[in-house]
Amino acid sequence: MSALPEPKLLTVPEVMSALRLSRFKVYDLIRSGELESITIGRARRVPADALDAFIAQLREDAA
């Protein structure tokens, strides 16, 4: 039995969980352009690699 593939697009609640942040803060990061997102119809999604890039940028800024 194979494992499920990692999702390429994350929902806002998934990003909230991954970053341990509130819905307001995640949308604030999206609005400010700090966290890339796309819209499909009325659905907002964050590419998984954009989340990784955001975390990498935070780590770089902290160093």
Side-chain angles (χ1 to χ4, degrees):
M1 185 169 162
S2 64
L4 294 175
E6 290 293 317
K8 295 189 185 297
L9 296 174
L10 305 170
T11 64
V12 169
E14 288 171 332
V15 174
M16 290 167 51
S17 178
L19 297 177
R20 306 295 194 263
L21 294 173
S22 69
R23 176 179 299 274
F24 177 83
K25 184 60 179 173
V26 171
Y27 277 111
D28 188 46
L29 291 169
I30 290 170
R31 272 190 297 277
S32 71
E34 292 179 74
L35 181 60
E36 179 190 350
S37 71
I38 60 171
T39 304
I40 303 172
R42 295 182 59 184
R44 176 71 57 181
R45 296 292 182 262
V46 175
D49 61 339
L51 182 60
D52 293 338
F54 173 73
I55 293 169
Q57 185 62 50
L58 290 176
R59 295 180 77 181
E60 186 177 304
D61 292 348

Short mmCIF file of all heavy atoms in Angstrom, two decimals:
data_model
loop_
_atom_site.label_atom_id
_atom_site.label_comp_id
_atom_site.label_asym_id
_atom_site.label_seq_id
_atom_site.Cartn_x
_atom_site.Cartn_y
_atom_site.Cartn_z
N MET A 1 0.85 -1.18 0.00
CA MET A 1 0.00 0.00 0.00
C MET A 1 0.89 1.24 0.00
O MET A 1 1.77 1.40 0.84
CB MET A 1 -0.89 -0.02 1.23
CG MET A 1 -1.88 1.09 1.27
SD MET A 1 -3.04 0.73 2.61
CE MET A 1 -3.72 2.31 2.80
N SER A 2 0.68 2.14 -0.95
CA SER A 2 1.52 3.33 -1.05
C SER A 2 0.91 4.48 -0.25
O SER A 2 -0.29 4.56 -0.05
CB SER A 2 1.68 3.75 -2.51
OG SER A 2 0.43 4.11 -3.05
N ALA A 3 1.80 5.36 0.20
CA ALA A 3 1.36 6.53 0.96
C ALA A 3 0.72 7.53 0.00
O ALA A 3 1.03 7.57 -1.18
CB ALA A 3 2.54 7.16 1.66
N LEU A 4 -0.17 8.35 0.53
CA LEU A 4 -0.79 9.39 -0.27
C LEU A 4 0.26 10.43 -0.64
O LEU A 4 1.13 10.75 0.17
CB LEU A 4 -1.92 10.06 0.51
CG LEU A 4 -3.13 9.19 0.81
CD1 LEU A 4 -4.11 9.96 1.71
CD2 LEU A 4 -3.82 8.77 -0.47
N PRO A 5 0.18 10.99 -1.84
CA PRO A 5 1.16 12.02 -2.22
C PRO A 5 0.93 13.29 -1.41
O PRO A 5 -0.19 13.57 -0.97
CB PRO A 5 0.87 12.26 -3.70
CG PRO A 5 -0.55 11.82 -3.90
CD PRO A 5 -0.78 10.71 -2.90
N GLU A 6 2.00 14.03 -1.20
CA GLU A 6 1.89 15.31 -0.49
C GLU A 6 1.06 16.27 -1.34
O GLU A 6 1.24 16.32 -2.55
CB GLU A 6 3.28 15.91 -0.26
CG GLU A 6 4.11 15.15 0.75
CD GLU A 6 3.55 15.24 2.15
OE1 GLU A 6 3.13 16.34 2.57
OE2 GLU A 6 3.52 14.20 2.83
N PRO A 7 0.16 17.02 -0.71
CA PRO A 7 -0.64 17.97 -1.50
C PRO A 7 0.23 19.08 -2.06
O PRO A 7 1.16 19.54 -1.41
CB PRO A 7 -1.65 18.51 -0.50
CG PRO A 7 -1.02 18.29 0.84
CD PRO A 7 -0.16 17.07 0.70
N LYS A 8 -0.06 19.49 -3.28
CA LYS A 8 0.69 20.58 -3.92
C LYS A 8 0.09 21.94 -3.56
O LYS A 8 0.78 22.94 -3.60
CB LYS A 8 0.72 20.38 -5.42
CG LYS A 8 1.49 19.13 -5.83
CD LYS A 8 1.69 19.08 -7.31
CE LYS A 8 2.34 17.80 -7.75
NZ LYS A 8 3.68 17.61 -7.24
N LEU A 9 -1.22 21.94 -3.25
CA LEU A 9 -1.91 23.17 -2.86
C LEU A 9 -2.55 22.96 -1.49
O LEU A 9 -3.23 21.96 -1.26
CB LEU A 9 -2.99 23.52 -3.89
CG LEU A 9 -2.50 23.85 -5.29
CD1 LEU A 9 -3.68 24.03 -6.24
CD2 LEU A 9 -1.64 25.09 -5.28
N LEU A 10 -2.32 23.92 -0.61
CA LEU A 10 -2.84 23.82 0.75
C LEU A 10 -3.98 24.80 0.97
O LEU A 10 -3.96 25.91 0.44
CB LEU A 10 -1.72 24.13 1.75
CG LEU A 10 -0.46 23.29 1.63
CD1 LEU A 10 0.64 23.87 2.51
CD2 LEU A 10 -0.74 21.85 1.98
N THR A 11 -4.95 24.39 1.75
CA THR A 11 -6.04 25.28 2.14
C THR A 11 -5.54 26.22 3.23
O THR A 11 -4.52 25.96 3.88
CB THR A 11 -7.24 24.49 2.66
OG1 THR A 11 -6.85 23.82 3.87
CG2 THR A 11 -7.76 23.49 1.64
N VAL A 12 -6.27 27.30 3.45
CA VAL A 12 -5.90 28.23 4.52
C VAL A 12 -5.90 27.50 5.88
O VAL A 12 -4.95 27.68 6.65
CB VAL A 12 -6.80 29.48 4.51
CG1 VAL A 12 -6.61 30.31 5.77
CG2 VAL A 12 -6.50 30.32 3.27
N PRO A 13 -6.90 26.67 6.19
CA PRO A 13 -6.83 25.95 7.47
C PRO A 13 -5.59 25.04 7.59
O PRO A 13 -5.02 24.91 8.67
CB PRO A 13 -8.12 25.13 7.51
CG PRO A 13 -9.07 25.94 6.69
CD PRO A 13 -8.23 26.51 5.58
N GLU A 14 -5.15 24.44 6.48
CA GLU A 14 -3.94 23.62 6.52
C GLU A 14 -2.71 24.48 6.80
O GLU A 14 -1.82 24.08 7.55
CB GLU A 14 -3.77 22.85 5.21
CG GLU A 14 -4.77 21.73 5.04
CD GLU A 14 -4.77 21.09 3.67
OE1 GLU A 14 -4.42 21.77 2.68
OE2 GLU A 14 -5.14 19.91 3.59
N VAL A 15 -2.66 25.67 6.19
CA VAL A 15 -1.55 26.59 6.45
C VAL A 15 -1.60 27.07 7.89
O VAL A 15 -0.56 27.15 8.56
CB VAL A 15 -1.59 27.78 5.46
CG1 VAL A 15 -0.53 28.82 5.81
CG2 VAL A 15 -1.42 27.30 4.03
N MET A 16 -2.80 27.37 8.39
CA MET A 16 -2.97 27.78 9.79
C MET A 16 -2.39 26.73 10.72
O MET A 16 -1.66 27.04 11.66
CB MET A 16 -4.45 27.98 10.11
CG MET A 16 -5.09 29.17 9.46
SD MET A 16 -6.90 29.16 9.56
CE MET A 16 -7.19 28.90 11.29
N SER A 17 -2.69 25.48 10.44
CA SER A 17 -2.22 24.38 11.26
C SER A 17 -0.70 24.22 11.15
O SER A 17 -0.02 24.04 12.16
CB SER A 17 -2.92 23.09 10.84
OG SER A 17 -2.44 22.00 11.59
N ALA A 18 -0.19 24.30 9.93
CA ALA A 18 1.25 24.12 9.72
C ALA A 18 2.07 25.20 10.40
O ALA A 18 3.14 24.92 10.96
CB ALA A 18 1.56 24.09 8.22
N LEU A 19 1.58 26.44 10.36
CA LEU A 19 2.31 27.57 10.94
C LEU A 19 1.89 27.89 12.37
O LEU A 19 2.49 28.74 13.02
CB LEU A 19 2.14 28.82 10.07
CG LEU A 19 2.70 28.73 8.65
CD1 LEU A 19 2.39 30.00 7.89
CD2 LEU A 19 4.20 28.46 8.68
N ARG A 20 0.82 27.24 12.83
CA ARG A 20 0.27 27.51 14.16
C ARG A 20 -0.10 28.98 14.29
O ARG A 20 0.24 29.65 15.28
CB ARG A 20 1.23 27.12 15.28
CG ARG A 20 1.74 25.70 15.25
CD ARG A 20 0.62 24.71 15.47
NE ARG A 20 1.11 23.38 15.78
CZ ARG A 20 1.23 22.41 14.86
NH1 ARG A 20 0.92 22.65 13.62
NH2 ARG A 20 1.64 21.22 15.21
N LEU A 21 -0.79 29.51 13.25
CA LEU A 21 -1.22 30.90 13.23
C LEU A 21 -2.73 30.98 13.06
O LEU A 21 -3.36 30.03 12.62
CB LEU A 21 -0.55 31.65 12.07
CG LEU A 21 0.96 31.83 12.15
CD1 LEU A 21 1.49 32.44 10.86
CD2 LEU A 21 1.34 32.68 13.35
N SER A 22 -3.28 32.14 13.37
CA SER A 22 -4.72 32.36 13.23
C SER A 22 -5.08 32.58 11.76
O SER A 22 -4.22 32.90 10.92
CB SER A 22 -5.16 33.58 14.03
OG SER A 22 -4.64 34.77 13.43
N ARG A 23 -6.35 32.42 11.46
CA ARG A 23 -6.87 32.67 10.11
C ARG A 23 -6.55 34.12 9.70
O ARG A 23 -6.11 34.38 8.58
CB ARG A 23 -8.38 32.43 10.08
CG ARG A 23 -9.04 32.74 8.75
CD ARG A 23 -10.53 32.46 8.78
NE ARG A 23 -10.81 31.07 9.05
CZ ARG A 23 -10.86 30.11 8.11
NH1 ARG A 23 -10.68 30.42 6.86
NH2 ARG A 23 -11.12 28.87 8.42
N PHE A 24 -6.78 35.06 10.62
CA PHE A 24 -6.51 36.47 10.33
C PHE A 24 -5.05 36.67 9.92
O PHE A 24 -4.76 37.37 8.95
CB PHE A 24 -6.84 37.35 11.54
CG PHE A 24 -6.51 38.79 11.33
CD1 PHE A 24 -7.39 39.63 10.65
CD2 PHE A 24 -5.29 39.30 11.76
CE1 PHE A 24 -7.07 40.96 10.43
CE2 PHE A 24 -4.98 40.63 11.54
CZ PHE A 24 -5.86 41.46 10.87
N LYS A 25 -4.11 36.07 10.67
CA LYS A 25 -2.69 36.26 10.39
C LYS A 25 -2.31 35.64 9.04
O LYS A 25 -1.52 36.22 8.29
CB LYS A 25 -1.83 35.68 11.51
CG LYS A 25 -0.36 35.94 11.34
CD LYS A 25 -0.06 37.44 11.29
CE LYS A 25 1.43 37.70 11.13
NZ LYS A 25 1.72 39.12 10.93
N VAL A 26 -2.86 34.48 8.72
CA VAL A 26 -2.55 33.85 7.43
C VAL A 26 -3.04 34.73 6.29
O VAL A 26 -2.30 35.00 5.33
CB VAL A 26 -3.14 32.42 7.34
CG1 VAL A 26 -3.02 31.87 5.92
CG2 VAL A 26 -2.45 31.50 8.33
N TYR A 27 -4.26 35.23 6.39
CA TYR A 27 -4.77 36.13 5.34
C TYR A 27 -3.98 37.44 5.31
O TYR A 27 -3.78 38.01 4.24
CB TYR A 27 -6.27 36.39 5.52
CG TYR A 27 -7.11 35.29 4.93
CD1 TYR A 27 -7.85 34.43 5.73
CD2 TYR A 27 -7.17 35.10 3.55
CE1 TYR A 27 -8.62 33.42 5.19
CE2 TYR A 27 -7.94 34.09 2.99
CZ TYR A 27 -8.66 33.25 3.81
OH TYR A 27 -9.42 32.25 3.27
N ASP A 28 -3.50 37.90 6.45
CA ASP A 28 -2.67 39.10 6.50
C ASP A 28 -1.36 38.86 5.73
O ASP A 28 -0.91 39.72 4.97
CB ASP A 28 -2.39 39.47 7.96
CG ASP A 28 -1.71 40.81 8.11
OD1 ASP A 28 -2.13 41.78 7.45
OD2 ASP A 28 -0.75 40.88 8.90
N LEU A 29 -0.74 37.70 5.92
CA LEU A 29 0.48 37.36 5.20
C LEU A 29 0.22 37.27 3.70
O LEU A 29 1.05 37.69 2.89
CB LEU A 29 1.04 36.03 5.71
CG LEU A 29 1.61 36.04 7.12
CD1 LEU A 29 1.88 34.62 7.60
CD2 LEU A 29 2.87 36.89 7.20
N ILE A 30 -0.94 36.74 3.32
CA ILE A 30 -1.31 36.65 1.90
C ILE A 30 -1.52 38.05 1.33
O ILE A 30 -0.98 38.38 0.26
CB ILE A 30 -2.56 35.77 1.73
CG1 ILE A 30 -2.22 34.30 2.03
CG2 ILE A 30 -3.15 35.92 0.33
CD1 ILE A 30 -3.42 33.38 2.13
N ARG A 31 -2.28 38.88 2.04
CA ARG A 31 -2.54 40.25 1.56
C ARG A 31 -1.26 41.06 1.39
O ARG A 31 -1.13 41.83 0.45
CB ARG A 31 -3.47 40.99 2.54
CG ARG A 31 -4.93 40.80 2.27
CD ARG A 31 -5.77 41.75 3.12
NE ARG A 31 -5.63 41.51 4.55
CZ ARG A 31 -6.30 40.60 5.24
NH1 ARG A 31 -7.18 39.84 4.63
NH2 ARG A 31 -6.12 40.45 6.53
N SER A 32 -0.32 40.87 2.30
CA SER A 32 0.92 41.65 2.27
C SER A 32 1.89 41.14 1.20
O SER A 32 2.89 41.79 0.93
CB SER A 32 1.60 41.61 3.64
OG SER A 32 2.14 40.32 3.89
N GLY A 33 1.60 39.95 0.65
CA GLY A 33 2.49 39.38 -0.35
C GLY A 33 3.62 38.56 0.23
O GLY A 33 4.45 38.02 -0.51
N GLU A 34 3.68 38.45 1.55
CA GLU A 34 4.73 37.65 2.19
C GLU A 34 4.53 36.15 1.93
O GLU A 34 5.50 35.40 1.91
CB GLU A 34 4.74 37.89 3.69
CG GLU A 34 5.19 39.28 4.09
CD GLU A 34 5.16 39.46 5.58
OE1 GLU A 34 6.05 38.91 6.25
OE2 GLU A 34 4.24 40.14 6.07
N LEU A 35 3.29 35.75 1.76
CA LEU A 35 2.96 34.35 1.50
C LEU A 35 2.18 34.29 0.20
O LEU A 35 1.10 34.87 0.08
CB LEU A 35 2.13 33.77 2.65
CG LEU A 35 1.72 32.31 2.55
CD1 LEU A 35 2.94 31.40 2.47
CD2 LEU A 35 0.86 31.93 3.74
N GLU A 36 2.75 33.60 -0.78
CA GLU A 36 2.13 33.49 -2.10
C GLU A 36 0.86 32.62 -2.02
O GLU A 36 0.82 31.63 -1.29
CB GLU A 36 3.12 32.84 -3.08
CG GLU A 36 2.59 32.64 -4.46
CD GLU A 36 3.50 31.80 -5.32
OE1 GLU A 36 4.64 31.53 -4.92
OE2 GLU A 36 3.05 31.40 -6.41
N SER A 37 -0.14 33.02 -2.78
CA SER A 37 -1.35 32.20 -2.87
C SER A 37 -1.95 32.36 -4.26
O SER A 37 -1.59 33.28 -5.00
CB SER A 37 -2.37 32.61 -1.81
OG SER A 37 -2.93 33.87 -2.12
N ILE A 38 -2.84 31.44 -4.59
CA ILE A 38 -3.56 31.50 -5.85
C ILE A 38 -5.04 31.33 -5.57
O ILE A 38 -5.43 30.84 -4.50
CB ILE A 38 -3.08 30.41 -6.85
CG1 ILE A 38 -3.29 29.01 -6.27
CG2 ILE A 38 -1.63 30.62 -7.22
CD1 ILE A 38 -3.05 27.90 -7.26
N THR A 39 -5.84 31.76 -6.51
CA THR A 39 -7.29 31.61 -6.39
C THR A 39 -7.77 30.70 -7.51
O THR A 39 -7.41 30.88 -8.67
CB THR A 39 -7.99 32.97 -6.49
OG1 THR A 39 -7.45 33.83 -5.48
CG2 THR A 39 -9.48 32.85 -6.28
N ILE A 40 -8.57 29.73 -7.15
CA ILE A 40 -9.21 28.83 -8.11
C ILE A 40 -10.70 28.99 -7.86
O ILE A 40 -11.21 28.52 -6.85
CB ILE A 40 -8.77 27.37 -7.92
CG1 ILE A 40 -7.26 27.25 -8.02
CG2 ILE A 40 -9.47 26.48 -8.93
CD1 ILE A 40 -6.72 25.89 -7.67
N GLY A 41 -11.36 29.70 -8.77
CA GLY A 41 -12.76 30.04 -8.52
C GLY A 41 -12.82 30.95 -7.31
O GLY A 41 -12.20 32.01 -7.29
N ARG A 42 -13.53 30.52 -6.29
CA ARG A 42 -13.60 31.30 -5.04
C ARG A 42 -12.69 30.72 -3.96
O ARG A 42 -12.66 31.23 -2.84
CB ARG A 42 -15.05 31.32 -4.55
CG ARG A 42 -15.96 32.07 -5.51
CD ARG A 42 -17.37 32.14 -5.00
NE ARG A 42 -17.39 32.80 -3.69
CZ ARG A 42 -18.48 32.94 -2.96
NH1 ARG A 42 -19.63 32.48 -3.38
NH2 ARG A 42 -18.43 33.56 -1.80
N ALA A 43 -11.94 29.66 -4.29
CA ALA A 43 -11.09 29.00 -3.31
C ALA A 43 -9.68 29.59 -3.31
O ALA A 43 -9.08 29.77 -4.36
CB ALA A 43 -11.02 27.50 -3.61
N ARG A 44 -9.17 29.89 -2.14
CA ARG A 44 -7.81 30.41 -1.97
C ARG A 44 -6.92 29.23 -1.59
O ARG A 44 -7.24 28.47 -0.69
CB ARG A 44 -7.80 31.45 -0.87
CG ARG A 44 -6.46 32.01 -0.50
CD ARG A 44 -5.84 32.91 -1.51
NE ARG A 44 -6.70 34.02 -1.84
CZ ARG A 44 -6.38 34.94 -2.73
NH1 ARG A 44 -5.24 34.89 -3.36
NH2 ARG A 44 -7.21 35.92 -2.99
N ARG A 45 -5.80 29.07 -2.30
CA ARG A 45 -4.87 27.99 -2.02
C ARG A 45 -3.45 28.53 -1.96
O ARG A 45 -3.10 29.48 -2.65
CB ARG A 45 -4.92 26.89 -3.10
CG ARG A 45 -6.27 26.17 -3.18
CD ARG A 45 -6.53 25.32 -1.95
NE ARG A 45 -7.76 24.59 -2.03
CZ ARG A 45 -8.90 24.96 -1.49
NH1 ARG A 45 -8.98 26.10 -0.83
NH2 ARG A 45 -9.98 24.23 -1.60
N VAL A 46 -2.63 27.89 -1.12
CA VAL A 46 -1.22 28.25 -0.99
C VAL A 46 -0.40 27.08 -1.52
O VAL A 46 -0.52 25.96 -1.02
CB VAL A 46 -0.86 28.53 0.49
CG1 VAL A 46 0.63 28.77 0.65
CG2 VAL A 46 -1.67 29.70 1.03
N PRO A 47 0.42 27.33 -2.56
CA PRO A 47 1.28 26.25 -3.05
C PRO A 47 2.21 25.77 -1.95
O PRO A 47 2.75 26.58 -1.18
CB PRO A 47 2.06 26.91 -4.19
CG PRO A 47 1.22 28.08 -4.61
CD PRO A 47 0.55 28.55 -3.35
N ALA A 48 2.39 24.46 -1.85
CA ALA A 48 3.23 23.89 -0.80
C ALA A 48 4.65 24.45 -0.86
O ALA A 48 5.26 24.74 0.17
CB ALA A 48 3.25 22.37 -0.90
N ASP A 49 5.18 24.64 -2.08
CA ASP A 49 6.53 25.18 -2.19
C ASP A 49 6.59 26.64 -1.76
O ASP A 49 7.63 27.12 -1.29
CB ASP A 49 7.11 24.98 -3.59
CG ASP A 49 6.32 25.66 -4.69
OD1 ASP A 49 5.13 25.97 -4.49
OD2 ASP A 49 6.90 25.88 -5.77
N ALA A 50 5.48 27.37 -1.88
CA ALA A 50 5.44 28.76 -1.40
C ALA A 50 5.51 28.79 0.13
O ALA A 50 6.14 29.68 0.70
CB ALA A 50 4.19 29.47 -1.89
N LEU A 51 4.87 27.82 0.77
CA LEU A 51 4.94 27.73 2.23
C LEU A 51 6.37 27.42 2.66
O LEU A 51 6.90 28.04 3.58
CB LEU A 51 3.97 26.67 2.75
CG LEU A 51 3.90 26.51 4.26
CD1 LEU A 51 3.48 27.80 4.94
CD2 LEU A 51 2.97 25.38 4.63
N ASP A 52 7.02 26.49 1.95
CA ASP A 52 8.42 26.16 2.24
C ASP A 52 9.31 27.38 2.05
O ASP A 52 10.20 27.64 2.86
CB ASP A 52 8.90 25.01 1.35
CG ASP A 52 8.19 23.70 1.66
OD1 ASP A 52 7.66 23.54 2.78
OD2 ASP A 52 8.17 22.83 0.76
N ALA A 53 9.08 28.15 0.98
CA ALA A 53 9.88 29.35 0.71
C ALA A 53 9.67 30.40 1.79
O ALA A 53 10.62 31.07 2.21
CB ALA A 53 9.53 29.92 -0.67
N PHE A 54 8.43 30.55 2.26
CA PHE A 54 8.12 31.50 3.32
C PHE A 54 8.88 31.14 4.60
O PHE A 54 9.50 32.00 5.23
CB PHE A 54 6.61 31.51 3.59
CG PHE A 54 6.21 32.34 4.77
CD1 PHE A 54 6.24 33.72 4.71
CD2 PHE A 54 5.80 31.74 5.94
CE1 PHE A 54 5.88 34.50 5.82
CE2 PHE A 54 5.44 32.50 7.05
CZ PHE A 54 5.48 33.88 6.98
N ILE A 55 8.86 29.86 4.95
CA ILE A 55 9.58 29.40 6.15
C ILE A 55 11.08 29.60 5.98
O ILE A 55 11.77 30.06 6.91
CB ILE A 55 9.23 27.94 6.46
CG1 ILE A 55 7.75 27.83 6.86
CG2 ILE A 55 10.12 27.38 7.56
CD1 ILE A 55 7.22 26.42 6.93
N ALA A 56 11.61 29.29 4.81
CA ALA A 56 13.03 29.49 4.54
C ALA A 56 13.41 30.96 4.67
O ALA A 56 14.48 31.28 5.23
CB ALA A 56 13.38 28.96 3.16
N GLN A 57 12.55 31.85 4.19
CA GLN A 57 12.82 33.29 4.30
C GLN A 57 12.82 33.73 5.75
O GLN A 57 13.67 34.53 6.16
CB GLN A 57 11.79 34.09 3.50
CG GLN A 57 12.05 35.57 3.46
CD GLN A 57 13.36 35.92 2.78
OE1 GLN A 57 13.63 35.45 1.67
NE2 GLN A 57 14.19 36.71 3.42
N LEU A 58 11.90 33.21 6.54
CA LEU A 58 11.88 33.54 7.98
C LEU A 58 13.17 33.10 8.66
O LEU A 58 13.73 33.84 9.47
CB LEU A 58 10.68 32.87 8.66
CG LEU A 58 9.30 33.40 8.33
CD1 LEU A 58 8.25 32.54 9.02
CD2 LEU A 58 9.16 34.86 8.76
N ARG A 59 13.63 31.92 8.29
CA ARG A 59 14.88 31.39 8.88
C ARG A 59 16.07 32.23 8.45
O ARG A 59 16.96 32.50 9.27
CB ARG A 59 15.07 29.93 8.50
CG ARG A 59 13.98 29.03 9.10
CD ARG A 59 14.17 27.62 8.72
NE ARG A 59 15.25 27.07 9.54
CZ ARG A 59 15.68 25.84 9.44
NH1 ARG A 59 15.16 25.02 8.56
NH2 ARG A 59 16.66 25.41 10.22
N GLU A 60 16.09 32.64 7.19
CA GLU A 60 17.18 33.46 6.69
C GLU A 60 17.20 34.83 7.39
O GLU A 60 18.25 35.33 7.77
CB GLU A 60 17.03 33.65 5.17
CG GLU A 60 18.19 34.37 4.53
CD GLU A 60 18.00 34.46 3.03
OE1 GLU A 60 17.84 33.41 2.39
OE2 GLU A 60 18.02 35.59 2.52
N ASP A 61 16.02 35.42 7.55
CA ASP A 61 15.91 36.72 8.21
C ASP A 61 16.34 36.65 9.67
O ASP A 61 16.84 37.63 10.22
CB ASP A 61 14.47 37.26 8.12
CG ASP A 61 14.08 37.64 6.69
OD1 ASP A 61 14.97 37.70 5.81
OD2 ASP A 61 12.88 37.86 6.47
N ALA A 62 16.11 35.50 10.30
CA ALA A 62 16.44 35.33 11.71
C ALA A 62 17.93 35.11 11.93
O ALA A 62 18.45 35.32 13.03
CB ALA A 62 15.66 34.17 12.30
N ALA A 63 18.64 34.68 10.87
CA ALA A 63 20.07 34.37 11.02
C ALA A 63 20.93 35.62 11.04
O ALA A 63 20.56 36.68 10.77
CB ALA A 63 20.51 33.48 9.86
#
